[in-house]
Amino acid sequence: MLVDFNHGSGCVYGRDASEPEPLGARINGRIDAALEAEREGQRPRGYLGASRIGEPCARRLVYEVTHTPPDPGKDFEGRVLRIFAAGHVFEDLAIRWLRQAGFDLRTQTQAGGQFGFETAGGRIRGHVDGVIIGGPEIGLAWPVLWEHKALKASSWSDTAKKGVQLSKPVYFGQMQIYMAYMGLGSALFTALNKDTCELYHEHVSFDPAAAQALSDKAVDVLRAADAGDLLPRIATSPDFFLCRFCPFAVRCWEDRA
Ligand code: SF4
């Protein structure tokens, strides 16, 4: 005898239009609406964050720093906000594991705030995941900046294969800026595979030329924003892969003529 465990209409697949939305969709709709409302209630950043300076397209950074609305339907949806929140939980786990292994990882100042810096009158700021000031003998000279990312499996594998500079230039730039303004000579980049919990660690040296170029770019972005200008596009066609994923693509290319 076949048993149907789908109690109630909320669990029925292949529903017609007259049936109510499935239970999962109704619950997720509520969760996502709450997360999106929470995000809308937050004050937009009044500065250029160091985590964004490594973004390859400076024009996109001008849109971001001027709080230009994304194209319709391109703002962060609830699902993406859940991914961000999960990243913080994974980060807390990685912090705990490193500390259990004997690394003296500091994530808060004595006053309880995040370590960070600001420059250009507070218009460029960064908040770091942590600083390791001591630990087991593993061939690193302390202190080092600590930066953590939780990545999906394919992205994690690419990072582990190519290294952070090639695979994740935005994260590499973020670390260079942090090291430059916090006077740190190197960083430990930790990437957690969200599917398998594998950990990839990479020692990243301070690259003064790269940091200077990024700092110059940040100043260019702020100057353009102040002047009401846009910086040149990174590509000559909206088909460029970065443009295809850019939340400002319609706005950016509509005035091409
Ligand atoms: S659409 Fe392309 S060129 Fe325009 S801001 Fe986005 S990434 Fe830059």
Side-chain angles (χ1 to χ4, degrees):
M1 183 182 76
L2 279 177
V3 180
D4 181 3
F5 289 111
N6 291 321
H7 306 294
S9 55
C11 298
V12 175
Y13 293 95
R15 69 192 174 91
D16 63 41
S18 63
E19 293 177 79
E21 258 193 316
L23 176 67
R26 279 180 275 150
I27 296 173
N28 291 341
R30 297 294 180 108
I31 291 173
D32 290 354
L35 290 173
E36 287 160 19
E38 180 185 54
R39 180 180 167 82
E40 271 165 33
Q42 290 165 349
R43 235 167 14 123
R45 278 176 170 181
Y47 58 89
L48 176 55
S51 60
R52 294 296 300 142
I53 297 173
E55 156 61 44
C57 182
R59 185 182 180 97
R60 174 171 171 169
L61 287 178
V62 175
Y63 285 133
E64 290 179 5
V65 87
T66 53
H67 307 304
T68 303
D71 298 336
K74 293 290 183 176
D75 208 350
F76 291 128
E77 55 178 7
R79 188 186 63 82
V80 177
L81 297 172
R82 281 185 266 141
I83 291 173
F84 291 163
H88 294 306
V89 176
F90 282 120
E91 184 178 315
D92 288 343
L93 282 172
I95 290 168
R96 204 173 114 220
W97 294 334
L98 283 166
R99 286 180 175 158
Q100 280 179 329
F103 294 91
D104 190 352
L105 169 56
R106 309 289 175 98
T107 55
Q108 290 197 322
T109 63
Q110 284 186 333
Q114 262 185 300
F115 290 111
F117 75 91
E118 60 178 68
T119 185
R123 299 192 66 206
I124 301 173
R125 295 187 207 176
H127 302 97
V128 311
D129 290 340
V131 178
I132 302 176
I133 64 167
E137 181 47 62
I138 55 165
L140 297 186
W142 315 111
V144 300
L145 171 77
W146 183 68
E147 184 61 32
H148 176 270
K149 301 292 177 195
L151 306 173
K152 64 180 181 179
S154 58
S155 180
W156 184 89
S157 297
D158 190 71
T159 308
K161 187 173 157 199
K162 297 179 185 162
V164 65
Q165 182 172 9
L166 262 186
S167 178
K168 303 285 180 293
V170 177
Y171 301 158
F172 179 80
Q174 180 181 4
M175 288 187 281
Q176 292 301 331
I177 287 284
Y178 288 156
M179 286 188 270
Y181 285 107
M182 296 188 65
L184 292 164
S186 67
L188 180 67
F189 176 74
T190 297
L192 181 149
N193 182 327
K194 288 192 280 187
D195 284 13
T196 63
C197 278
E198 286 171 280
L199 292 168
Y200 168 73
H201 303 283
E202 182 176 333
H203 184 224
V204 178
S205 297
F206 177 49
D207 179 340
Q212 186 62 58
L214 289 161
S215 178
D216 293 347
K217 180 166 96 179
V219 171
D220 288 346
V221 167
L222 291 176
R223 282 202 181 124
D226 289 348
D229 291 336
L230 286 171
L231 290 171
R233 298 181 183 90
I234 195 169
T236 53
S237 158
D239 293 336
F240 186 60
F241 78 102
L242 287 176
C243 301
R244 282 192 274 119
F245 296 105
C246 176
F248 305 102
V250 173
R251 177 189 297 279
C252 176
W253 288 98
E254 71 187 356
D255 62 353
R256 184 168 22 167

